[in-house]
Amino acid sequence: MIQETIVTTVDAADQVHIAPMGIHIEADGISILPFKPSKTLDNILATGVAVINHCDDVRVFAGCLTGRRDWPVTPAKTITGVYLTATLAHVEVSLQRMADDQLRPTLFCKAVHTVNHRPFQGFNRAQFAVLEAAILISRLDRLPWQKIESELDYLRIGFEKTAGSKEREAWQWLMDEIDSYRLKAATS
Ligand SMILES: Cc1cc2nc3c(=O)[nH]c(=O)nc-3n(C[C@H](O)[C@H](O)[C@H](O)COP(=O)(O)O)c2cc1C
């Protein structure tokens, strides 16, 4: 199973890096698969650790994709790292081994400490819509406009019916990003 999470890492100089990543949950551990080049990959290779954040504030996902990476963090409990202060739960992981690949290596990790901070509030279609739109934006240079527009039209239906203020803020950041990309493409 793949879960959409926020991975927080630090570099050798303790500089925090925050990135959305779909992590693979397997019977014997957790795998992180960053596309090269990746700051997350560099940091995990440098420190041997990472934090997986199960976060329902979708502004963090949309924010990271639109240049807003400065989210409040708190020191991790058992490793050198940080978790998102707003996360519902976090898992501190240590790197066990890497299967290298030119495009997308697999980092096999083991959970060493898990904390539940607040309860899961249930599923929300607007949060799903924001995640899907954020993924579309991470692939703007590879997808035809027609596909982007038709997927956004579909996502907008559930979004409009169920969004709260955080989801609306996140959605607006993503739509602004698409508009500026479209404008740039039209003028170049
Ligand atoms: C929901 C979601 C899931 C993502 N999953 C991955 C992933 O598994 N691997 C990856 O390399 N990028 C993924 N991305 C894109 C990265 O977050 C983005 O490209 C980021 O900048 C990764 O590079 P970095 O480690 O240098 O920050 C995802 C984006 C979103 C919105």
Side-chain angles (χ1 to χ4, degrees):
M1 177 176 162
I2 297 176
Q3 280 184 319
E4 305 305 342
T5 68
I6 302 291
V7 177
T8 41
T9 54
V10 295
D11 66 15
D14 261 357
Q15 191 72 34
V16 172
H17 185 71
I18 300 176
M21 294 266 158
I23 59 153
H24 296 226
I25 312 274
E26 286 127 19
D28 55 345
I30 293 168
S31 298
I32 304 171
L33 287 88
F35 287 99
K36 288 181 178 174
S38 160
K39 181 75 178 154
T40 303
L41 173 64
D42 295 346
N43 286 355
I44 295 174
L45 292 179
T47 62
V49 290
V51 176
I52 311 287
N53 296 270
H54 298 292
C55 179
D56 69 349
D57 185 343
V58 289
R59 293 177 304 175
V60 185
F61 291 84
C64 288
L65 270 283
T66 57
R68 299 167 176 88
R69 284 187 190 257
D70 196 12
W71 297 95
V73 292
T74 305
K77 304 290 177 201
T78 64
I79 59 165
T80 304
V82 296
Y83 64 86
L84 290 175
T85 309
T87 195
L88 298 181
H90 84 267
V91 185
E92 298 171 15
V93 302
S94 76
L95 177 65
Q96 301 298 290
R97 67 187 174 88
M98 172 168 83
D100 205 1
D101 181 80
Q102 275 194 334
L103 188 69
R104 198 181 190 193
T106 304
L107 301 169
F108 296 94
C109 300
K110 182 178 84 171
V112 292
H113 189 65
T114 301
V115 185
N116 285 311
H117 299 280
R118 38 187 80 83
F120 172 56
Q121 299 290 330
F123 300 105
N124 173 261
R125 292 172 69 194
Q127 291 171 350
F128 161 77
V130 170
L131 288 191
E132 289 297 324
I135 290 169
L136 283 176
I137 282 177
S138 72
R139 298 174 186 164
L140 276 181
D141 54 343
R142 280 169 277 161
L143 293 175
W145 271 114
Q146 210 183 359
K147 181 171 172 63
I148 293 167
E149 276 169 359
S150 67
E151 294 213 2
L152 287 176
D153 285 346
Y154 174 72
L155 293 170
R156 203 172 277 114
I157 299 168
F159 173 81
E160 290 296 353
K161 285 182 181 160
T162 67
S165 59
K166 289 179 184 171
E167 290 76 27
R168 288 190 187 282
E169 192 174 10
W171 183 265
Q172 194 53 53
W173 292 342
L174 296 172
M175 295 309 113
D176 291 348
E177 187 78 10
I178 288 180
D179 285 347
S180 67
Y181 185 89
R182 199 196 321 246
L183 203 67
K184 238 185 271 166
T187 54
S188 65

